[in-house]
mmCIF file of all heavy atoms in Angstrom:
data_model
loop_
_atom_site.group_PDB
_atom_site.id
_atom_site.type_symbol
_atom_site.label_atom_id
_atom_site.label_comp_id
_atom_site.label_asym_id
_atom_site.label_seq_id
_atom_site.Cartn_x
_atom_site.Cartn_y
_atom_site.Cartn_z
ATOM 1 N N LEU A 317 44.786 6.103 38.868
ATOM 2 C CA LEU A 317 44.560 5.054 37.883
ATOM 3 C C LEU A 317 43.782 5.496 36.664
ATOM 4 O O LEU A 317 43.801 4.818 35.625
ATOM 5 C CB LEU A 317 43.831 3.867 38.553
ATOM 6 C CG LEU A 317 44.537 3.221 39.730
ATOM 7 C CD1 LEU A 317 43.703 2.045 40.252
ATOM 8 C CD2 LEU A 317 45.922 2.725 39.333
ATOM 9 N N GLY A 318 43.085 6.587 36.771
ATOM 10 C CA GLY A 318 42.285 7.094 35.670
ATOM 11 C C GLY A 318 40.811 6.758 35.815
ATOM 12 O O GLY A 318 40.407 5.968 36.711
ATOM 13 N N TYR A 319 40.012 7.347 34.980
ATOM 14 C CA TYR A 319 38.565 7.110 35.042
ATOM 15 C C TYR A 319 38.213 5.808 34.336
ATOM 16 O O TYR A 319 38.906 5.332 33.437
ATOM 17 C CB TYR A 319 37.825 8.277 34.356
ATOM 18 C CG TYR A 319 37.931 9.571 35.115
ATOM 19 C CD1 TYR A 319 38.840 10.561 34.702
ATOM 20 C CD2 TYR A 319 37.149 9.830 36.221
ATOM 21 C CE1 TYR A 319 38.950 11.751 35.381
ATOM 22 C CE2 TYR A 319 37.236 11.023 36.918
ATOM 23 C CZ TYR A 319 38.146 11.983 36.479
ATOM 24 O OH TYR A 319 38.262 13.176 37.171
ATOM 25 N N ASN A 320 37.095 5.261 34.778
ATOM 26 C CA ASN A 320 36.609 4.032 34.154
ATOM 27 C C ASN A 320 36.262 4.257 32.685
ATOM 28 O O ASN A 320 35.717 5.311 32.313
ATOM 29 C CB ASN A 320 35.391 3.496 34.899
ATOM 30 C CG ASN A 320 35.676 3.110 36.335
ATOM 31 O OD1 ASN A 320 36.828 2.795 36.673
ATOM 32 N ND2 ASN A 320 34.663 3.133 37.183
ATOM 33 N N GLU A 321 36.549 3.249 31.870
ATOM 34 C CA GLU A 321 36.295 3.419 30.427
ATOM 35 C C GLU A 321 35.503 2.243 29.858
ATOM 36 O O GLU A 321 34.492 2.436 29.222
ATOM 37 C CB GLU A 321 37.637 3.544 29.688
ATOM 38 C CG GLU A 321 37.483 3.985 28.240
ATOM 39 C CD GLU A 321 38.825 4.220 27.591
ATOM 40 O OE1 GLU A 321 39.813 3.625 28.060
ATOM 41 O OE2 GLU A 321 38.890 5.016 26.641
ATOM 42 N N LYS A 322 35.966 0.999 30.058
ATOM 43 C CA LYS A 322 35.287 -0.204 29.559
ATOM 44 C C LYS A 322 35.347 -1.280 30.595
ATOM 45 O O LYS A 322 36.155 -1.241 31.545
ATOM 46 C CB LYS A 322 35.916 -0.671 28.248
ATOM 47 C CG LYS A 322 35.723 0.278 27.073
ATOM 48 C CD LYS A 322 36.310 -0.299 25.784
ATOM 49 C CE LYS A 322 36.093 0.669 24.627
ATOM 50 N NZ LYS A 322 36.664 0.146 23.369
ATOM 51 N N ALA A 323 34.522 -2.321 30.437
ATOM 52 C CA ALA A 323 34.471 -3.424 31.373
ATOM 53 C C ALA A 323 34.258 -4.704 30.599
ATOM 54 O O ALA A 323 33.798 -4.723 29.446
ATOM 55 C CB ALA A 323 33.346 -3.210 32.391
ATOM 56 N N GLU A 324 34.595 -5.832 31.238
ATOM 57 C CA GLU A 324 34.437 -7.155 30.656
ATOM 58 C C GLU A 324 34.136 -8.171 31.755
ATOM 59 O O GLU A 324 34.761 -8.130 32.836
ATOM 60 C CB GLU A 324 35.694 -7.557 29.890
ATOM 61 C CG GLU A 324 35.553 -8.800 29.050
ATOM 62 C CD GLU A 324 34.646 -8.617 27.870
ATOM 63 O OE1 GLU A 324 34.472 -7.449 27.433
ATOM 64 O OE2 GLU A 324 34.098 -9.623 27.361
ATOM 65 N N TRP A 325 33.208 -9.078 31.482
ATOM 66 C CA TRP A 325 32.821 -10.117 32.427
ATOM 67 C C TRP A 325 33.649 -11.380 32.187
ATOM 68 O O TRP A 325 34.034 -11.680 31.067
ATOM 69 C CB TRP A 325 31.340 -10.498 32.248
ATOM 70 C CG TRP A 325 30.350 -9.569 32.903
ATOM 71 C CD1 TRP A 325 29.792 -8.468 32.354
ATOM 72 C CD2 TRP A 325 29.819 -9.690 34.206
ATOM 73 N NE1 TRP A 325 28.927 -7.886 33.231
ATOM 74 C CE2 TRP A 325 28.900 -8.626 34.382
ATOM 75 C CE3 TRP A 325 29.973 -10.596 35.254
ATOM 76 C CZ2 TRP A 325 28.194 -8.409 35.573
ATOM 77 C CZ3 TRP A 325 29.269 -10.407 36.421
ATOM 78 C CH2 TRP A 325 28.379 -9.342 36.579
ATOM 79 N N ARG A 326 33.879 -12.108 33.270
ATOM 80 C CA ARG A 326 34.408 -13.462 33.137
ATOM 81 C C ARG A 326 33.264 -14.389 32.734
ATOM 82 O O ARG A 326 32.112 -14.163 33.101
ATOM 83 C CB ARG A 326 35.008 -13.927 34.474
ATOM 84 C CG ARG A 326 35.852 -15.170 34.372
ATOM 85 C CD ARG A 326 36.615 -15.417 35.646
ATOM 86 N NE ARG A 326 37.459 -16.607 35.524
ATOM 87 C CZ ARG A 326 38.324 -17.008 36.458
ATOM 88 N NH1 ARG A 326 38.473 -16.286 37.572
ATOM 89 N NH2 ARG A 326 39.049 -18.097 36.266
ATOM 90 N N PRO A 327 33.521 -15.435 31.947
ATOM 91 C CA PRO A 327 32.422 -16.284 31.476
ATOM 92 C C PRO A 327 31.541 -16.875 32.565
ATOM 93 O O PRO A 327 30.351 -17.049 32.361
ATOM 94 C CB PRO A 327 33.131 -17.377 30.678
ATOM 95 C CG PRO A 327 34.405 -16.742 30.216
ATOM 96 C CD PRO A 327 34.800 -15.806 31.320
ATOM 97 N N ASP A 328 32.091 -17.160 33.744
ATOM 98 C CA ASP A 328 31.294 -17.729 34.828
ATOM 99 C C ASP A 328 30.710 -16.651 35.738
ATOM 100 O O ASP A 328 30.169 -16.976 36.815
ATOM 101 C CB ASP A 328 32.133 -18.699 35.636
ATOM 102 C CG ASP A 328 33.379 -18.056 36.238
ATOM 103 O OD1 ASP A 328 33.600 -16.843 35.981
ATOM 104 O OD2 ASP A 328 34.133 -18.737 36.923
ATOM 105 N N SER A 329 30.824 -15.387 35.359
ATOM 106 C CA SER A 329 30.256 -14.246 36.086
ATOM 107 C C SER A 329 30.858 -14.095 37.489
ATOM 108 O O SER A 329 30.213 -13.528 38.374
ATOM 109 C CB SER A 329 28.733 -14.360 36.209
ATOM 110 O OG SER A 329 28.149 -14.465 34.939
ATOM 111 N N SER A 330 32.053 -14.576 37.683
ATOM 112 C CA SER A 330 32.660 -14.468 39.003
ATOM 113 C C SER A 330 33.583 -13.260 39.143
ATOM 114 O O SER A 330 33.931 -12.877 40.257
ATOM 115 C CB SER A 330 33.480 -15.732 39.306
ATOM 116 O OG SER A 330 34.510 -15.918 38.355
ATOM 117 N N MET A 331 33.994 -12.644 38.033
ATOM 118 C CA MET A 331 34.886 -11.484 38.082
ATOM 119 C C MET A 331 34.521 -10.497 37.005
ATOM 120 O O MET A 331 33.899 -10.840 35.977
ATOM 121 C CB MET A 331 36.353 -11.903 37.940
ATOM 122 C CG MET A 331 36.875 -12.771 39.075
ATOM 123 S SD MET A 331 38.665 -12.953 39.013
ATOM 124 C CE MET A 331 39.207 -11.296 39.436
ATOM 125 N N ILE A 332 34.966 -9.230 37.244
ATOM 126 C CA ILE A 332 34.754 -8.148 36.289
ATOM 127 C C ILE A 332 36.083 -7.420 36.151
ATOM 128 O O ILE A 332 36.735 -7.094 37.151
ATOM 129 C CB ILE A 332 33.662 -7.174 36.755
ATOM 130 C CG1 ILE A 332 32.336 -7.914 36.939
ATOM 131 C CG2 ILE A 332 33.510 -6.026 35.764
ATOM 132 C CD1 ILE A 332 31.253 -7.044 37.557
ATOM 133 N N ALA A 333 36.471 -7.163 34.914
ATOM 134 C CA ALA A 333 37.682 -6.391 34.642
ATOM 135 C C ALA A 333 37.297 -5.053 34.070
ATOM 136 O O ALA A 333 36.470 -4.982 33.139
ATOM 137 C CB ALA A 333 38.582 -7.137 33.680
ATOM 138 N N VAL A 334 37.871 -3.972 34.608
ATOM 139 C CA VAL A 334 37.562 -2.611 34.193
ATOM 140 C C VAL A 334 38.844 -1.937 33.706
ATOM 141 O O VAL A 334 39.855 -1.953 34.413
ATOM 142 C CB VAL A 334 36.935 -1.802 35.345
ATOM 143 C CG1 VAL A 334 36.665 -0.361 34.908
ATOM 144 C CG2 VAL A 334 35.645 -2.455 35.818
ATOM 145 N N SER A 335 38.759 -1.394 32.485
ATOM 146 C CA SER A 335 39.902 -0.630 31.961
ATOM 147 C C SER A 335 39.671 0.850 32.226
ATOM 148 O O SER A 335 38.535 1.320 32.241
ATOM 149 C CB SER A 335 40.068 -0.875 30.462
ATOM 150 O OG SER A 335 38.930 -0.415 29.773
ATOM 151 N N THR A 336 40.795 1.580 32.427
ATOM 152 C CA THR A 336 40.727 2.991 32.750
ATOM 153 C C THR A 336 41.352 3.805 31.634
ATOM 154 O O THR A 336 42.007 3.291 30.720
ATOM 155 C CB THR A 336 41.432 3.282 34.072
ATOM 156 O OG1 THR A 336 42.830 2.991 33.931
ATOM 157 C CG2 THR A 336 40.841 2.424 35.195
ATOM 158 N N THR A 337 41.170 5.117 31.753
ATOM 159 C CA THR A 337 41.694 6.013 30.749
ATOM 160 C C THR A 337 43.212 6.157 30.822
ATOM 161 O O THR A 337 43.822 6.643 29.856
ATOM 162 C CB THR A 337 41.071 7.396 30.936
ATOM 163 O OG1 THR A 337 41.303 7.856 32.284
ATOM 164 C CG2 THR A 337 39.570 7.337 30.669
ATOM 165 N N LYS A 338 43.840 5.723 31.891
ATOM 166 C CA LYS A 338 45.299 5.807 32.041
ATOM 167 C C LYS A 338 45.967 4.456 31.865
ATOM 168 O O LYS A 338 47.089 4.245 32.315
ATOM 169 C CB LYS A 338 45.637 6.378 33.394
ATOM 170 C CG LYS A 338 45.224 7.830 33.560
ATOM 171 C CD LYS A 338 45.707 8.430 34.862
ATOM 172 C CE LYS A 338 45.323 9.909 34.957
ATOM 173 N NZ LYS A 338 45.798 10.550 36.212
ATOM 174 N N GLY A 339 45.306 3.516 31.183
ATOM 175 C CA GLY A 339 45.924 2.271 30.814
ATOM 176 C C GLY A 339 45.994 1.237 31.917
ATOM 177 O O GLY A 339 46.897 0.375 31.866
ATOM 178 N N CYS A 340 45.155 1.290 32.891
ATOM 179 C CA CYS A 340 45.146 0.313 33.966
ATOM 180 C C CYS A 340 43.971 -0.644 33.802
ATOM 181 O O CYS A 340 42.934 -0.297 33.240
ATOM 182 C CB CYS A 340 45.074 0.997 35.333
ATOM 183 S SG CYS A 340 46.564 1.883 35.752
ATOM 184 N N LEU A 341 44.136 -1.839 34.341
ATOM 185 C CA LEU A 341 43.111 -2.869 34.316
ATOM 186 C C LEU A 341 42.826 -3.263 35.759
ATOM 187 O O LEU A 341 43.709 -3.830 36.451
ATOM 188 C CB LEU A 341 43.600 -4.065 33.492
ATOM 189 C CG LEU A 341 42.516 -5.025 32.987
ATOM 190 C CD1 LEU A 341 41.550 -4.314 32.065
ATOM 191 C CD2 LEU A 341 43.176 -6.196 32.278
ATOM 192 N N ILE A 342 41.606 -2.960 36.260
ATOM 193 C CA ILE A 342 41.212 -3.216 37.642
ATOM 194 C C ILE A 342 40.291 -4.430 37.649
ATOM 195 O O ILE A 342 39.353 -4.513 36.873
ATOM 196 C CB ILE A 342 40.521 -1.992 38.275
ATOM 197 C CG1 ILE A 342 41.375 -0.744 38.112
ATOM 198 C CG2 ILE A 342 40.183 -2.245 39.732
ATOM 199 C CD1 ILE A 342 40.724 0.524 38.591
ATOM 200 N N PHE A 343 40.560 -5.375 38.585
ATOM 201 C CA PHE A 343 39.789 -6.611 38.688
ATOM 202 C C PHE A 343 38.932 -6.563 39.944
ATOM 203 O O PHE A 343 39.399 -6.240 41.027
ATOM 204 C CB PHE A 343 40.730 -7.820 38.734
ATOM 205 C CG PHE A 343 41.514 -8.012 37.469
ATOM 206 C CD1 PHE A 343 42.792 -7.458 37.349
ATOM 207 C CD2 PHE A 343 41.001 -8.739 36.421
ATOM 208 C CE1 PHE A 343 43.538 -7.621 36.204
ATOM 209 C CE2 PHE A 343 41.738 -8.921 35.266
ATOM 210 C CZ PHE A 343 43.003 -8.348 35.138
ATOM 211 N N TYR A 344 37.631 -6.928 39.770
ATOM 212 C CA TYR A 344 36.693 -6.986 40.851
ATOM 213 C C TYR A 344 36.148 -8.409 40.943
ATOM 214 O O TYR A 344 35.869 -9.054 39.919
ATOM 215 C CB TYR A 344 35.522 -6.023 40.641
ATOM 216 C CG TYR A 344 35.922 -4.566 40.620
ATOM 217 C CD1 TYR A 344 36.287 -3.950 39.416
ATOM 218 C CD2 TYR A 344 35.936 -3.814 41.774
ATOM 219 C CE1 TYR A 344 36.644 -2.622 39.381
ATOM 220 C CE2 TYR A 344 36.272 -2.477 41.756
ATOM 221 C CZ TYR A 344 36.642 -1.888 40.564
ATOM 222 O OH TYR A 344 37.002 -0.564 40.533
ATOM 223 N N LYS A 345 35.973 -8.860 42.173
ATOM 224 C CA LYS A 345 35.431 -10.194 42.419
ATOM 225 C C LYS A 345 33.948 -10.079 42.751
ATOM 226 O O LYS A 345 33.550 -9.253 43.567
ATOM 227 C CB LYS A 345 36.176 -10.886 43.537
ATOM 228 C CG LYS A 345 35.766 -12.330 43.744
ATOM 229 C CD LYS A 345 36.593 -13.018 44.812
ATOM 230 C CE LYS A 345 36.184 -14.453 44.971
ATOM 231 N NZ LYS A 345 37.001 -15.145 46.036
ATOM 232 N N VAL A 346 33.142 -10.937 42.117
ATOM 233 C CA VAL A 346 31.697 -10.964 42.314
ATOM 234 C C VAL A 346 31.354 -12.235 43.051
ATOM 235 O O VAL A 346 31.631 -13.331 42.543
ATOM 236 C CB VAL A 346 30.950 -10.868 40.992
ATOM 237 C CG1 VAL A 346 29.446 -10.841 41.222
ATOM 238 C CG2 VAL A 346 31.374 -9.650 40.177
ATOM 239 N N GLN A 347 30.739 -12.116 44.235
ATOM 240 C CA GLN A 347 30.374 -13.283 45.001
ATOM 241 C C GLN A 347 29.142 -13.010 45.830
ATOM 242 O O GLN A 347 28.768 -11.854 46.041
ATOM 243 C CB GLN A 347 31.532 -13.708 45.900
ATOM 244 C CG GLN A 347 32.033 -12.633 46.816
ATOM 245 C CD GLN A 347 33.268 -13.040 47.598
ATOM 246 O OE1 GLN A 347 33.679 -14.208 47.575
ATOM 247 N NE2 GLN A 347 33.899 -12.095 48.274
ATOM 248 N N LEU A 348 28.492 -14.085 46.280
ATOM 249 C CA LEU A 348 27.309 -13.928 47.122
ATOM 250 C C LEU A 348 27.665 -13.389 48.468
ATOM 251 O O LEU A 348 28.718 -13.710 49.038
ATOM 252 C CB LEU A 348 26.600 -15.289 47.256
ATOM 253 C CG LEU A 348 26.047 -15.902 45.974
ATOM 254 C CD1 LEU A 348 25.479 -17.277 46.251
ATOM 255 C CD2 LEU A 348 24.986 -15.026 45.352
ATOM 256 N N ASP A 349 26.808 -12.570 49.005
ATOM 257 C CA ASP A 349 27.012 -11.952 50.309
ATOM 258 C C ASP A 349 26.341 -12.824 51.371
ATOM 259 O O ASP A 349 25.103 -12.835 51.479
ATOM 260 C CB ASP A 349 26.454 -10.553 50.309
ATOM 261 C CG ASP A 349 26.891 -9.741 51.535
ATOM 262 O OD1 ASP A 349 27.564 -10.336 52.402
ATOM 263 O OD2 ASP A 349 26.544 -8.555 51.613
ATOM 264 N N ASP A 350 27.146 -13.576 52.117
ATOM 265 C CA ASP A 350 26.588 -14.480 53.127
ATOM 266 C C ASP A 350 26.024 -13.748 54.326
ATOM 267 O O ASP A 350 25.263 -14.304 55.125
ATOM 268 C CB ASP A 350 27.669 -15.469 53.602
ATOM 269 C CG ASP A 350 28.160 -16.345 52.455
ATOM 270 O OD1 ASP A 350 27.382 -16.550 51.514
ATOM 271 O OD2 ASP A 350 29.328 -16.806 52.518
ATOM 272 N N SER A 351 26.436 -12.478 54.496
ATOM 273 C CA SER A 351 25.961 -11.743 55.673
ATOM 274 C C SER A 351 24.528 -11.257 55.572
ATOM 275 O O SER A 351 23.922 -10.847 56.540
ATOM 276 C CB SER A 351 26.873 -10.556 55.904
ATOM 277 O OG SER A 351 26.817 -9.668 54.787
#
Side-chain angles (χ1 to χ4, degrees):
L317 300 182
Y319 292 100
N320 297 335
E321 191 175 26
K322 293 183 179 180
E324 190 69 24
W325 280 89
R326 193 170 182 173
D328 58 358
S329 303
S330 61
M331 295 191 70
I332 301 173
V334 177
S335 63
T336 64
T337 57
K338 294 186 177 181
C340 290
L341 200 61
I342 306 175
F343 295 93
Y344 297 90
K345 186 176 182 180
V346 181
Q347 55 186 351
L348 296 176
D349 192 356
D350 298 333
S351 61

